[in-house]
Amino acid sequence: MSEDVVALSAAQAAERVRAGELSARELFEVYRDRSASDELGVYLWVAEEAPEVVSDAPLGGVPLAVKDLFCTKDVPSTSGSRILAGYTPPYTATAVENLVRAGAAMVGKTNMDEFAMGSSNENSAYGPVRNPWDTSRVPGGSSGGSAAAVAAGLAPWAIGTDTGGSIRQPAALCGIVGLKPTYGSVSRYGMIAFASSLDQCGPLTRDVTDAALLYRHMVGRDDCDSTSLQHPEEIRLPSSESLEGLRFGVPPALLGEGIEPGVREVFDATVARVEELGGLVEEVDLPSATHGLSAYYVIAPAEASANLARYDGVRYGLRSGNGDLTSMYEETRHDGFGAEVKRRIMIGTYALSSGYYDAYYGRAQRVRTKIAEDFREAFERVDLILTPTSPTVAFELGARTKDPLAMYMSDFLTVPMSLAGLPAISIPGGLSDGLPVGIQLAGPAFSENRIMEAAYALEQSIGFEGVPR
Amino acid sequence: MIDREQVLHVAKLARLRLSEEEVERMSEELSTILEHVERINELDLEGVEPTSHVIDVENVLRPDEPRPCLPREVALANAPDATDEGFRVPSPGG
């Protein structure tokens, strides 16, 4: 029965459990056994026992993979870093808590780029993750473990976090669905912080319906995160078959050099499909968005350098040093952080240091205002913005590790929405040379229902099939 | 261009020891990255306000009332070194 069960989407599995046709415990055991024999490097921890779940809970006890960046009580939570090896938090993140209350059963914690800094999952202190479409290639990052788990059927669905593209880009490279929600719509409490003004968690799923179902149970204002907000709409399961009357904006500024021809081809075919489904497509101008990446690589490292100051060998995690206080700080951080994290701490500290603050951080925060204004103007004319998610398909392991800037370019199309706090989804648009290409749909703040209705209509029409099994 | 001296200065601010090899690599990599981020200087930002928060949130206030918190032994459980009462660290004097 195991293969049949794995073929079900999470929403279908939840329905079966709720109808009494499938045992939540058996379902859990199937996924736990698959996860325990994971050969892709997806999991950093796998549950042994199925947790107690009320069978009529909305999520039906369907197993959930959780990025290791979420604090989970008494379960190791490392954020992919050596500095947090062995750390077991005394509390659970609100987003995970909400899902567990709705009936999700945590099956494992997933591998990731250290502190969510990376686009290939090669920056994990615990080894890389391999892409199930081609194991010589990366799954994307930083939520690479979560994306590969869902694509490979090692989990029915997963959650991850997105600071500049870390849900959408791995979803695109693994041929699954990833939603980066409106900033603040899901509590950040218990998420190990990277860049607090940008970090937002969301679902990675096999289809849009699963994304809507999972997101529905993640949202909500939380007293423990004063930047969290009540979503103004009830999150619906999508049902649209048509895009009649919806206006789509395509920004030529973001579609210039750097987009692989195979990605461009799938994107152009998707634009044609949008029109066939009744959508209206026009060009929109996002003149400042091309500067998003530059602004992002000031803002995110600056916030990271402040957030990561807490790893000093005092309260948790690793401690090194030769017995004096300064050497404890400096040696702990030398031993505990990987190369990319050190790089970002250095950029961030430099950008915030005396004499450079205005030129870098201050300026980047003003670019951010310009980008948000661009989107505001665009959304007066169109309902949604359509782009590829990633400029390239999944690349070979090691192809970009020597060139940080080339790695950063992976985020070129996802960073502008992050800077403006806007929701965006990536769905599989098709294949290029046998590798998945993601299509990104972005909308105004709190337009997740609109985004997912359109994504669902496109998904039904595209009929994308997952990893060949 | 970020030279060796600047790398060492910033590393000191960040309380991060870098190996000799890391210092050299960092000098090169930071220069390349900063050159790229300096493209934001091409934009006219005259009169543009900086964004510190993307979604409008009014002041979020709550009554200042004591609430239960983690028991001390739980808070200390992950510490590399602790006494019954607190985190133990080397003396600042060395």
Side-chain angles (χ1 to χ4, degrees):
Chain A
M1 85 149 201
S2 87
E3 288 310 308
D4 296 349
V5 169
V6 172
L8 298 173
S9 75
Q12 289 167 340
E15 267 322 299
R16 295 255 183 117
V17 172
R18 285 159 50 80
E21 298 161 9
L22 178 64
S23 142
R25 179 169 296 273
E26 278 173 35
L27 178 67
F28 187 89
E29 284 167 359
V30 166
Y31 276 105
R32 184 208 48 206
D33 294 348
R34 288 177 71 87
S35 301
S37 57
D38 151 39
E39 288 177 351
L40 297 169
V42 157
Y43 282 105
L44 298 180
W45 176 87
V46 176
E48 282 174 17
E49 288 298 313
E52 287 302 318
V53 173
V54 189
S55 61
D56 64 348
L59 302 181
V62 173
L64 174 74
V66 174
K67 187 178 186 178
D68 205 35
L69 178 145
F70 292 88
C71 284
T72 44
K73 189 168 190 286
D74 300 330
V75 169
S77 306
T78 68
S79 211
S81 182
R82 184 169 134 69
I83 213 163
L84 281 175
Y87 174 62
T88 53
Y91 69 104
T92 296
T94 301
V96 177
E97 204 64 80
N98 288 349
L99 290 172
V100 167
R101 201 175 312 116
M106 185 168 77
V107 66
K109 299 288 295 284
T110 56
N111 204 346
M112 54 180 285
D113 284 301
E114 183 177 8
F115 289 113
M117 298 176 193
S119 308
S120 69
N121 216 107
E122 290 164 296
N123 297 333
S124 168
Y126 305 100
V129 173
R130 293 173 182 277
N131 190 315
W133 289 83
D134 174 350
T135 54
S136 71
R137 292 175 188 267
V138 304
S142 66
S143 309
S146 287
V150 174
L154 297 174
W157 51 12
I159 55 173
T161 61
D162 190 313
T163 302
S166 279
I167 287 174
R168 291 162 283 165
Q169 185 257 10
L173 270 47
C174 289
I176 61 163
V177 172
L179 172 70
K180 197 290 274 188
T182 307
Y183 180 82
S185 67
V186 184
S187 169
R188 286 182 296 111
Y189 181 67
M191 277 166 51
I192 296 172
F194 162 16
S196 304
S197 78
L198 297 157
D199 296 343
Q200 186 60 203
C201 66
L204 293 108
T205 57
R206 291 187 205 164
D207 63 29
V208 179
T209 304
D210 281 359
L213 180 58
L214 205 52
Y215 179 58
R216 175 196 275 180
H217 294 285
M218 296 173 78
V219 294
R221 176 165 152 67
D222 176 13
D223 282 344
C224 295
D225 174 5
S226 61
T227 62
S228 66
L229 297 143
Q230 195 59 45
H231 203 292
E233 294 180 8
E234 182 90 357
I235 303 304
R236 298 186 303 266
L237 299 190
S239 59
S240 300
E241 302 271 323
S242 127
L243 298 173
E244 205 62 55
L246 266 184
R247 299 162 302 170
F248 291 79
V250 171
L254 291 177
L255 298 173
E257 52 179 315
I259 312 281
E260 277 178 0
V263 170
R264 182 71 208 216
E265 235 169 75
V266 171
F267 179 70
D268 289 344
T270 307
V271 170
R273 190 183 294 274
V274 165
E275 288 178 323
E276 279 166 31
L277 291 169
L280 309 165
V281 180
E282 60 177 280
E283 291 192 350
V284 288
D285 206 12
L286 298 174
S288 307
T290 50
H291 290 83
L293 201 68
S294 300
Y296 177 85
Y297 276 96
V298 173
I299 294 166
E303 293 184 10
S305 74
N307 273 328
L308 270 54
R310 74 191 62 180
Y311 302 104
D312 57 5
V314 175
R315 288 160 299 167
Y316 29 64
L318 186 74
R319 176 184 291 189
S320 305
N322 61 12
D324 82 80
L325 191 67
T326 305
S327 99
M328 178 188 76
Y329 296 146
E330 293 183 340
E331 296 300 325
T332 298
R333 293 160 68 75
H334 171 270
D335 294 348
F337 291 138
E340 180 61 23
V341 171
K342 287 178 183 165
R343 205 175 282 136
R344 303 233 190 154
I345 288 175
M346 291 291 290
I347 301 170
T349 305
Y350 178 81
L352 291 176
S353 65
S354 171
Y356 297 102
Y357 181 93
D358 288 333
Y360 288 102
Y361 192 69
R363 240 188 124 71
Q365 291 285 58
R366 288 154 76 198
V367 174
R368 196 171 181 178
T369 305
K370 294 277 276 189
I371 291 172
E373 282 171 0
D374 282 0
F375 277 112
R376 204 168 303 125
E377 282 170 28
F379 287 128
E380 282 169 13
R381 291 173 42 213
V382 297
D383 300 304
L384 295 166
I385 286 173
L386 190 67
T387 71
T389 307
S390 161
T392 69
V393 293
F395 42 91
E396 299 273 343
L397 281 153
R400 298 190 187 177
T401 42
K402 296 276 182 296
D403 185 351
L405 259 187
M407 190 71 91
Y408 295 174
M409 290 308 288
S410 304
D411 300 333
F412 182 67
L413 296 158
T414 47
V415 146
M417 295 75 183
S418 299
L419 289 169
L422 303 177
I425 200 168
S426 177
I427 61 166
L431 296 176
S432 163
D433 282 337
L435 293 168
V437 173
I439 300 295
Q440 178 175 234
L441 281 166
F446 301 111
S447 66
E448 282 85 353
N449 279 324
R450 182 198 297 173
I451 289 174
M452 289 194 282
E453 287 290 355
Y456 178 83
L458 260 176
E459 175 183 64
Q460 300 310 304
S461 166
I462 293 169
F464 184 83
E465 296 197 10
V467 183
R469 286 195 229 278
Chain B
M1 183 66 203
I2 307 295
D3 62 23
R4 184 188 164 78
E5 286 313 302
Q6 277 173 300
V7 169
L8 290 172
H9 172 65
V10 174
K12 190 164 178 238
L13 292 177
R15 285 280 188 248
L16 179 64
R17 184 178 72 79
L18 298 176
S19 68
E20 200 44 48
E21 189 220 331
E22 283 175 321
V23 172
E24 279 191 20
R25 198 152 30 92
M26 207 63 90
S27 162
E28 206 173 295
E29 287 172 351
L30 293 196
S31 300
T32 315
I33 294 165
L34 288 170
E35 199 176 300
H36 186 269
V37 305
E38 277 165 11
R39 289 189 198 166
I40 55 177
N41 293 328
E42 294 164 8
L43 283 172
D44 178 12
L45 298 172
E46 189 67 37
V48 177
E49 287 293 317
T51 293
S52 59
H53 195 79
V54 284
I55 307 289
D56 286 334
V57 185
E58 294 287 315
N59 283 336
V60 180
L61 302 173
R62 61 172 170 78
D64 185 18
E65 289 162 355
R67 289 192 283 190
C69 63
L70 290 178
R72 182 183 287 168
E73 66 274 16
V74 174
L76 293 173
N78 273 290
D81 192 9
T83 67
D84 289 343
E85 297 185 312
F87 302 105
R88 182 161 33 208
V89 296
S91 156

